[in-house]
Coordinates of all heavy atoms in Angstrom, one line a residue:
M1 N 61.6 60.4 -107.7 CA 60.2 60.4 -107.0 C 60.0 61.7 -106.3 O 60.8 62.2 -105.7 CB 60.3 59.2 -106.0 CG 58.9 58.8 -105.5 SD 59.0 57.5 -104.3 CE 59.3 58.4 -102.8
A2 N 58.7 62.2 -106.5 CA 58.3 63.4 -105.9 C 58.2 63.2 -104.4 O 57.6 62.2 -103.9 CB 57.0 63.9 -106.4
V3 N 58.8 64.1 -103.6 CA 58.7 64.0 -102.1 C 58.0 65.2 -101.6 O 58.4 66.3 -101.9 CB 60.2 63.9 -101.5 CG1 60.1 63.8 -100.0 CG2 60.9 62.6 -102.1
P4 N 57.0 65.0 -100.7 CA 56.3 66.2 -100.1 C 57.3 67.0 -99.3 O 58.2 66.5 -98.6 CB 55.3 65.6 -99.2 CG 55.2 64.2 -99.6 CD 56.5 63.8 -100.2
K5 N 57.2 68.4 -99.5 CA 58.2 69.3 -98.8 C 57.9 69.4 -97.3 O 58.8 69.6 -96.5 CB 58.1 70.7 -99.5 CG 59.2 71.6 -99.2 CD 59.2 72.8 -100.1 CE 60.5 73.6 -100.0 NZ 60.5 74.7 -101.0
K6 N 56.5 69.3 -97.0 CA 56.1 69.5 -95.6 C 55.3 68.3 -95.2 O 54.5 67.8 -96.0 CB 55.3 70.8 -95.5 CG 56.1 72.1 -95.7 CD 56.5 72.7 -94.3 CE 57.6 73.7 -94.5 NZ 57.4 74.8 -95.4
K7 N 55.3 68.0 -93.9 CA 54.4 67.0 -93.3 C 53.0 67.5 -93.4 O 52.8 68.7 -93.1 CB 54.9 66.8 -91.9 CG 53.9 65.9 -91.1 CD 54.4 65.8 -89.7 CE 53.4 65.0 -88.8 NZ 53.8 64.9 -87.5
T8 N 52.1 66.7 -93.8 CA 50.6 67.1 -93.8 C 50.2 67.1 -92.4 O 50.3 66.1 -91.7 CB 49.8 66.1 -94.6 OG1 50.4 65.9 -95.9 CG2 48.4 66.6 -94.8
S9 N 49.7 68.2 -91.9 CA 49.2 68.4 -90.5 C 47.9 67.5 -90.3 O 47.2 67.2 -91.2 CB 48.9 69.8 -90.2 OG 47.8 70.3 -91.0
H10 N 47.7 67.2 -89.0 CA 46.5 66.5 -88.6 C 45.3 67.2 -89.2 O 44.3 66.6 -89.7 CB 46.5 66.3 -87.1 CG 45.3 65.5 -86.6 ND1 45.3 64.1 -86.8 CD2 44.2 65.9 -86.0 CE1 44.2 63.7 -86.3 NE2 43.5 64.7 -85.8
R11 N 45.3 68.5 -89.0 CA 44.1 69.3 -89.4 C 43.9 69.2 -90.9 O 42.7 69.0 -91.4 CB 44.4 70.8 -89.1 CG 43.3 71.8 -89.4 CD 43.8 73.1 -89.1 NE 42.7 74.1 -89.1 CZ 42.9 75.4 -88.9 NH1 44.1 75.9 -88.5 NH2 41.9 76.2 -88.9
R12 N 44.9 69.3 -91.7 CA 44.8 69.2 -93.2 C 44.3 67.8 -93.6 O 43.4 67.7 -94.5 CB 46.1 69.4 -93.9 CG 46.5 70.9 -94.0 CD 46.5 71.3 -95.5 NE 46.6 72.7 -95.7 CZ 45.6 73.5 -96.1 NH1 44.5 73.0 -96.4 NH2 45.8 74.8 -96.1
T13 N 44.8 66.8 -92.9 CA 44.3 65.4 -93.2 C 42.9 65.3 -92.9 O 42.1 64.8 -93.8 CB 45.1 64.4 -92.4 OG1 46.5 64.6 -92.6 CG2 44.8 63.0 -92.7
R14 N 42.4 65.8 -91.8 CA 41.0 65.7 -91.4 C 40.1 66.5 -92.3 O 39.0 66.1 -92.6 CB 40.8 66.1 -89.9 CG 41.5 65.3 -88.9 CD 41.3 63.8 -89.0 NE 39.9 63.5 -89.0 CZ 39.3 62.3 -89.3 NH1 40.1 61.4 -89.8 NH2 38.0 62.1 -89.3
Q15 N 40.6 67.7 -92.7 CA 39.8 68.5 -93.6 C 39.6 67.8 -94.9 O 38.5 67.8 -95.5 CB 40.6 69.9 -93.9 CG 40.3 70.9 -92.8 CD 41.1 72.2 -93.1 OE1 42.1 72.2 -93.9 NE2 40.8 73.2 -92.4
R16 N 40.7 67.2 -95.5 CA 40.6 66.4 -96.7 C 39.6 65.3 -96.6 O 38.8 65.0 -97.5 CB 42.0 65.9 -97.1 CG 42.0 65.2 -98.5 CD 43.4 64.8 -98.9 NE 44.0 63.8 -98.0 CZ 45.1 64.0 -97.3 NH1 45.7 65.1 -97.3 NH2 45.5 63.0 -96.6
R17 N 39.6 64.6 -95.4 CA 38.8 63.4 -95.3 C 37.4 63.7 -94.8 O 36.6 62.8 -94.6 CB 39.5 62.4 -94.3 CG 40.8 61.9 -94.9 CD 41.5 60.9 -94.0 NE 42.7 60.5 -94.6 CZ 43.7 59.8 -94.0 NH1 43.5 59.4 -92.8 NH2 44.8 59.5 -94.7
A18 N 37.1 65.0 -94.6 CA 35.8 65.4 -94.1 C 34.7 65.0 -95.2 O 33.5 64.8 -94.8 CB 35.7 66.9 -93.9
H19 N 35.1 64.8 -96.4 CA 34.1 64.5 -97.5 C 34.2 63.0 -97.9 O 33.5 62.6 -98.9 CB 34.5 65.3 -98.8 CG 34.6 66.8 -98.5 ND1 33.4 67.6 -98.4 CD2 35.6 67.6 -98.3 CE1 33.8 68.8 -98.1 NE2 35.1 68.9 -98.0
D20 N 34.9 62.2 -97.1 CA 35.1 60.8 -97.5 C 34.0 59.8 -96.9 O 34.1 58.6 -97.2 CB 36.5 60.3 -97.1 CG 37.6 61.0 -97.9 OD1 37.2 61.7 -98.9 OD2 38.7 60.7 -97.7
S21 N 33.2 60.3 -96.0 CA 32.2 59.4 -95.4 C 31.2 58.8 -96.3 O 30.9 59.5 -97.4 CB 31.5 60.2 -94.2 OG 30.6 61.1 -94.8
L22 N 30.8 57.6 -96.1 CA 29.8 57.0 -96.9 C 28.4 57.2 -96.4 O 28.2 57.3 -95.2 CB 30.0 55.5 -96.9 CG 31.4 55.0 -97.5 CD1 31.5 53.5 -97.2 CD2 31.4 55.3 -98.9
N23 N 27.4 57.3 -97.3 CA 26.0 57.5 -96.9 C 25.3 56.1 -97.0 O 25.6 55.3 -97.9 CB 25.4 58.5 -97.9 CG 25.9 59.9 -97.7 OD1 26.2 60.3 -96.6 ND2 26.1 60.6 -98.8
A24 N 24.3 56.0 -96.2 CA 23.5 54.8 -96.2 C 22.7 54.8 -97.5 O 22.3 55.9 -98.0 CB 22.6 54.7 -95.0
P25 N 22.5 53.6 -98.2 CA 21.8 53.6 -99.4 C 20.3 54.0 -99.2 O 19.7 53.7 -98.2 CB 21.9 52.1 -99.9 CG 22.2 51.4 -98.7 CD 23.0 52.3 -97.8
N26 N 19.7 54.7 -100.2 CA 18.3 55.1 -100.1 C 17.4 53.9 -100.5 O 17.4 53.5 -101.7 CB 18.1 56.3 -101.1 CG 16.7 56.8 -101.0 OD1 16.0 56.7 -99.9 ND2 16.2 57.3 -102.1
L27 N 16.8 53.3 -99.5 CA 16.0 52.1 -99.8 C 14.5 52.4 -99.8 O 14.0 53.3 -99.0 CB 16.2 51.0 -98.8 CG 17.7 50.5 -98.7 CD1 17.8 49.5 -97.5 CD2 18.1 49.8 -100.0
V28 N 13.7 51.8 -100.7 CA 12.3 52.0 -100.7 C 11.6 50.6 -100.5 O 12.2 49.6 -100.9 CB 11.8 52.6 -102.0 CG1 12.2 54.1 -102.0 CG2 12.2 51.9 -103.2
A29 N 10.4 50.6 -100.0 CA 9.6 49.3 -99.8 C 9.0 48.9 -101.1 O 8.5 49.7 -101.8 CB 8.6 49.5 -98.7
C30 N 9.1 47.6 -101.4 CA 8.4 47.0 -102.6 C 6.9 47.1 -102.4 O 6.4 46.8 -101.3 CB 8.9 45.6 -102.7 SG 8.0 44.7 -104.0
K31 N 6.2 47.5 -103.5 CA 4.7 47.7 -103.4 C 4.0 46.3 -103.3 O 2.9 46.2 -102.8 CB 4.2 48.5 -104.6 CG 4.4 50.0 -104.5 CD 3.9 50.7 -105.7 CE 4.2 52.2 -105.6 NZ 4.0 52.8 -106.9
K32 N 4.7 45.3 -103.8 CA 4.1 44.0 -103.9 C 4.3 43.2 -102.6 O 3.4 42.7 -102.0 CB 4.7 43.2 -105.1 CG 4.0 42.0 -105.5 CD 2.9 42.4 -106.5 CE 2.0 41.1 -106.8 NZ 0.8 41.5 -107.5
C33 N 5.6 43.1 -102.1 CA 5.9 42.3 -101.0 C 6.4 43.1 -99.8 O 6.5 42.5 -98.7 CB 6.9 41.2 -101.3 SG 8.5 41.9 -101.7
G34 N 6.7 44.4 -99.9 CA 7.1 45.2 -98.8 C 8.5 45.1 -98.4 O 9.0 45.7 -97.5
E35 N 9.3 44.3 -99.2 CA 10.7 44.1 -98.9 C 11.4 45.4 -99.3 O 11.1 46.1 -100.3 CB 11.3 43.0 -99.8 CG 12.6 42.5 -99.4 CD 12.7 41.8 -98.0 OE1 11.7 41.1 -97.7 OE2 13.7 41.9 -97.4
M36 N 12.5 45.8 -98.6 CA 13.2 47.0 -98.9 C 14.2 46.7 -100.0 O 14.8 45.7 -100.0 CB 14.0 47.5 -97.6 CG 13.1 47.9 -96.5 SD 11.9 49.1 -96.8 CE 12.8 50.6 -96.7
G37 N 14.3 47.7 -100.9 CA 15.3 47.5 -102.0 C 15.6 48.8 -102.7 O 15.1 49.9 -102.2
M38 N 16.5 48.8 -103.7 CA 16.9 50.0 -104.4 C 15.7 50.6 -105.2 O 15.0 49.8 -105.8 CB 18.1 49.7 -105.3 CG 19.3 49.1 -104.6 SD 20.2 50.5 -103.9 CE 21.1 51.1 -105.3
P39 N 15.6 51.9 -105.2 CA 14.5 52.5 -106.0 C 14.8 52.3 -107.5 O 15.9 52.3 -107.9 CB 14.5 54.0 -105.6 CG 15.9 54.2 -105.1 CD 16.3 52.9 -104.5
H40 N 13.7 52.3 -108.4 CA 13.8 52.2 -109.8 C 14.5 50.9 -110.3 O 15.1 50.8 -111.3 CB 14.6 53.4 -110.4 CG 14.0 54.7 -110.0 ND1 12.8 55.1 -110.5 CD2 14.5 55.6 -109.2 CE1 12.5 56.3 -109.9 NE2 13.5 56.6 -109.1
R41 N 14.4 49.8 -109.4 CA 14.9 48.5 -109.8 C 13.9 47.4 -109.5 O 13.1 47.6 -108.5 CB 16.2 48.2 -109.0 CG 17.4 48.9 -109.7 CD 18.6 49.0 -108.8 NE 19.7 49.7 -109.3 CZ 19.8 51.0 -109.5 NH1 18.8 51.8 -109.1 NH2 20.9 51.6 -110.0
A42 N 13.9 46.4 -110.2 CA 13.0 45.2 -109.9 C 13.3 44.7 -108.6 O 14.5 44.6 -108.1 CB 13.2 44.2 -111.0
C43 N 12.3 44.2 -107.9 CA 12.4 43.6 -106.5 C 13.1 42.3 -106.7 O 12.7 41.5 -107.5 CB 11.1 43.5 -105.9 SG 11.2 42.7 -104.3
T44 N 14.2 42.1 -105.9 CA 14.9 40.8 -106.0 C 14.3 39.7 -105.2 O 14.6 38.5 -105.3 CB 16.4 41.0 -105.5 OG1 16.3 41.6 -104.2 CG2 17.2 41.8 -106.4
T45 N 13.3 40.1 -104.4 CA 12.6 39.1 -103.5 C 11.4 38.4 -104.3 O 11.2 37.2 -104.3 CB 12.1 39.7 -102.2 OG1 13.2 40.4 -101.6 CG2 11.6 38.6 -101.3
C46 N 10.5 39.3 -104.9 CA 9.4 38.8 -105.6 C 9.5 38.9 -107.1 O 8.7 38.3 -107.9 CB 8.1 39.5 -105.1 SG 8.0 41.3 -105.5
G47 N 10.4 39.7 -107.7 CA 10.6 39.8 -109.1 C 9.7 40.8 -109.8 O 9.7 40.8 -111.0
Y48 N 9.0 41.6 -109.0 CA 8.1 42.6 -109.7 C 8.8 44.0 -109.8 O 9.6 44.4 -109.0 CB 6.9 42.7 -108.8 CG 5.8 41.7 -109.1 CD1 6.0 40.4 -108.7 CD2 4.7 42.0 -109.9 CE1 5.0 39.4 -109.0 CE2 3.7 41.1 -110.2 CZ 3.9 39.8 -109.8 OH 2.9 38.8 -110.1
Y49 N 8.4 44.6 -110.9 CA 8.8 46.1 -111.1 C 7.5 46.8 -111.3 O 6.8 46.6 -112.3 CB 9.7 46.3 -112.2 CG 10.2 47.7 -112.4 CD1 11.2 48.2 -111.6 CD2 9.6 48.6 -113.3 CE1 11.6 49.5 -111.6 CE2 10.0 49.9 -113.3 CZ 11.0 50.3 -112.5 OH 11.5 51.6 -112.6
G50 N 7.0 47.5 -110.2 CA 5.7 48.1 -110.3 C 4.6 47.0 -110.2 O 4.7 46.2 -109.2
D51 N 3.7 46.9 -111.2 CA 2.8 45.8 -111.1 C 3.1 44.7 -112.1 O 2.2 43.8 -112.4 CB 1.3 46.3 -111.3 CG 1.2 47.2 -112.5 OD1 2.2 47.3 -113.3 OD2 0.1 47.8 -112.7
K52 N 4.2 44.7 -112.7 CA 4.6 43.7 -113.7 C 5.7 42.8 -113.2 O 6.6 43.2 -112.5 CB 5.2 44.4 -114.9 CG 4.3 44.6 -116.1 CD 5.1 45.0 -117.3 CE 4.3 46.0 -118.2 NZ 5.2 46.6 -119.2
K53 N 5.6 41.5 -113.5 CA 6.6 40.5 -113.1 C 7.7 40.5 -114.1 O 7.4 40.2 -115.3 CB 6.0 39.1 -112.9 CG 7.0 38.1 -112.2 CD 6.2 36.9 -111.8 CE 7.1 35.9 -111.2 NZ 7.7 36.3 -109.9
V54 N 8.9 40.9 -113.8 CA 10.0 41.0 -114.8 C 11.1 40.1 -114.5 O 12.0 39.8 -115.4 CB 10.5 42.5 -114.8 CG1 9.4 43.4 -115.4 CG2 10.9 43.0 -113.5
L55 N 11.2 39.5 -113.3 CA 12.3 38.6 -113.0 C 11.7 37.2 -112.6 O 10.7 37.1 -111.9 CB 13.1 39.1 -111.8 CG 14.0 40.3 -112.0 CD1 14.7 40.7 -110.7 CD2 15.0 40.0 -113.1
D56 N 12.3 36.1 -113.1 CA 11.9 34.8 -112.7 C 12.7 34.4 -111.4 O 13.8 33.8 -111.5 CB 12.2 33.8 -113.8 CG 11.5 32.5 -113.6 OD1 10.8 32.3 -112.5 OD2 11.6 31.6 -114.4
V57 N 12.3 34.9 -110.3 CA 13.0 34.7 -109.0 C 13.1 33.2 -108.6 O 14.2 32.8 -108.2 CB 12.3 35.5 -107.9 CG1 13.1 35.3 -106.6 CG2 12.2 36.9 -108.2
E58 N 12.0 32.4 -108.9 CA 12.0 31.0 -108.4 C 13.1 30.2 -109.2 O 13.8 29.5 -108.5 CB 10.6 30.4 -108.7 CG 9.6 30.9 -107.7 CD 9.0 32.2 -108.1 OE1 9.0 32.5 -109.3 OE2 8.5 32.9 -107.2
S59 N 13.2 30.4 -110.5 CA 14.2 29.6 -111.2 C 15.6 30.0 -110.8 O 16.5 29.2 -110.8 CB 14.0 29.8 -112.7 OG 14.5 31.1 -113.2
G60 N 15.8 31.3 -110.5 CA 17.1 31.8 -110.1 C 17.5 31.1 -108.7 O 18.6 30.7 -108.5
L61 N 16.5 31.1 -107.9 CA 16.7 30.4 -106.5 C 17.0 29.0 -106.7 O 17.9 28.4 -106.0 CB 15.4 30.6 -105.7 CG 15.6 30.4 -104.2 CD1 16.4 31.4 -103.5 CD2 14.2 30.3 -103.5
A62 N 16.3 28.3 -107.6 CA 16.5 26.9 -107.8 C 17.9 26.6 -108.3 O 18.6 25.7 -107.9 CB 15.5 26.3 -108.9
K63 N 18.4 27.5 -109.2 CA 19.8 27.4 -109.8 C 20.8 27.6 -108.7 O 21.8 26.8 -108.6 CB 20.0 28.6 -110.8 CG 20.6 28.1 -112.1 CD 20.9 29.3 -113.0 CE 20.2 29.2 -114.3 NZ 20.4 30.4 -115.1
K64 N 20.5 28.5 -107.8 CA 21.5 28.8 -106.7 C 21.6 27.6 -105.7 O 22.6 27.2 -105.3 CB 20.9 30.0 -105.9 CG 22.0 30.7 -105.0 CD 21.4 32.0 -104.4 CE 22.4 32.7 -103.5 NZ 21.8 33.8 -102.9
L65 N 20.4 27.0 -105.4 CA 20.4 25.9 -104.5 C 21.1 24.7 -105.1 O 21.8 24.0 -104.5 CB 18.9 25.5 -104.2 CG 18.2 26.4 -103.3 CD1 16.7 26.0 -103.2 CD2 18.8 26.5 -101.9
K66 N 20.9 24.5 -106.5 CA 21.6 23.4 -107.2 C 23.1 23.6 -107.1 O 23.8 22.6 -106.9 CB 21.1 23.4 -108.7 CG 21.3 22.1 -109.4 CD 20.7 22.2 -110.8 CE 21.1 20.9 -111.6 NZ 20.7 21.1 -113.0
K67 N 23.5 24.8 -107.3 CA 24.9 25.2 -107.3 C 25.5 24.8 -105.9 O 26.6 24.3 -105.8 CB 25.1 26.7 -107.6 CG 26.4 27.0 -108.2 CD 26.5 28.5 -108.6 CE 27.8 28.9 -109.2 NZ 27.8 30.3 -109.5
Q68 N 24.7 25.2 -104.8 CA 25.2 24.9 -103.4 C 25.3 23.4 -103.2 O 26.3 23.0 -102.6 CB 24.2 25.5 -102.5 CG 24.4 27.0 -102.2 CD 23.4 27.6 -101.2 OE1 22.5 26.9 -100.8 NE2 23.7 28.8 -100.7
D69 N 24.3 22.7 -103.7 CA 24.3 21.2 -103.6 C 25.6 20.6 -104.2 O 26.2 19.8 -103.6 CB 23.1 20.6 -104.2 CG 21.8 20.8 -103.3 OD1 22.0 21.2 -102.2 OD2 20.7 20.6 -103.9
N70 N 25.9 21.1 -105.4 CA 27.1 20.7 -106.1 C 28.4 20.9 -105.3 O 29.3 20.1 -105.3 CB 27.2 21.3 -107.5 CG 26.2 20.8 -108.5 OD1 25.7 19.7 -108.3 ND2 25.9 21.5 -109.6
K71 N 28.4 22.1 -104.7 CA 29.6 22.5 -103.9 C 29.7 21.5 -102.7 O 30.8 21.1 -102.4 CB 29.4 23.9 -103.4 CG 30.2 24.9 -104.1 CD 30.1 26.3 -103.5 CE 30.7 27.3 -104.4 NZ 30.5 28.7 -103.8
E72 N 28.6 21.2 -102.1 CA 28.6 20.3 -100.9 C 29.0 18.9 -101.3 O 29.7 18.2 -100.6 CB 27.3 20.3 -100.2 CG 27.1 21.6 -99.3 CD 25.6 21.8 -98.9 OE1 24.8 20.8 -99.0 OE2 25.3 22.9 -98.5
D73 N 28.6 18.5 -102.5 CA 29.0 17.2 -103.0 C 30.5 17.1 -103.2 O 31.1 16.1 -103.0 CB 28.3 16.9 -104.4 CG 26.8 16.6 -104.1 OD1 26.4 16.4 -103.0 OD2 26.0 16.7 -105.1
D74 N 31.1 18.2 -103.7 CA 32.5 18.2 -104.0 C 33.3 18.0 -102.7 O 34.3 17.4 -102.6 CB 32.9 19.6 -104.6 CG 32.4 19.7 -106.0 OD1 32.1 18.6 -106.6 OD2 32.4 20.8 -106.6
K75 N 32.8 18.7 -101.6 CA 33.5 18.6 -100.3 C 33.5 17.2 -99.7 O 34.5 16.7 -99.2 CB 32.8 19.6 -99.3 CG 33.3 21.0 -99.5 CD 32.6 21.9 -98.5 CE 32.8 23.4 -98.8 NZ 31.9 24.2 -98.0
S76 N 32.3 16.5 -99.8 CA 32.2 15.2 -99.2 C 32.8 14.1 -100.1 O 33.1 14.3 -101.2 CB 30.7 14.9 -98.8 OG 30.0 14.9 -100.0
Ligands
LIG101 ZN1 8.9 42.6 -103.9

């Protein structure tokens, strides 16, 4: 196994990790509903991309609720 010859100094460690910070995601407001979301992606709240409806949000929500109900039935 390769073993480091010298202990990595605090300064070297900090210098290496200076580039490791995370940036906040760049969010834009939906033109239809005003909800914040990722740019160049369909809105997950209203299902619109620009002025076109591309996602069936209601059916997805119904599916999710049904799944939750099934989970709760399993518990009781
Ligand atoms: Zn929207």
Side-chain angles (χ1 to χ4, degrees):
M1 194 183 84
V3 178
K5 197 166 190 177
K6 292 262 164 52
K7 173 184 174 178
T8 308
S9 67
H10 183 72
R11 183 186 189 177
R12 279 246 169 252
T13 306
R14 295 310 303 165
Q15 276 177 346
R16 184 175 66 242
R17 292 181 185 171
H19 307 281
D20 291 355
S21 68
L22 295 173
N23 293 321
N26 181 32
L27 298 175
V28 292
C30 172
K31 280 179 185 169
K32 196 83 184 172
C33 68
E35 193 70 33
M36 298 304 279
M38 298 283 281
H40 306 288
R41 276 160 185 81
C43 177
T44 52
T45 310
C46 65
Y48 274 76
Y49 185 79
D51 52 5
K52 264 193 212 165
K53 191 167 178 66
V54 292
L55 289 176
D56 194 0
V57 181
E58 286 82 24
S59 77
L61 194 70
K63 227 185 235 177
K64 200 175 178 183
L65 288 174
K66 200 176 173 188
K67 209 174 178 184
Q68 276 181 350
D69 285 345
N70 286 341
K71 260 188 189 172
E72 281 165 19
D73 288 345
D74 291 344
K75 278 179 191 170
S76 60

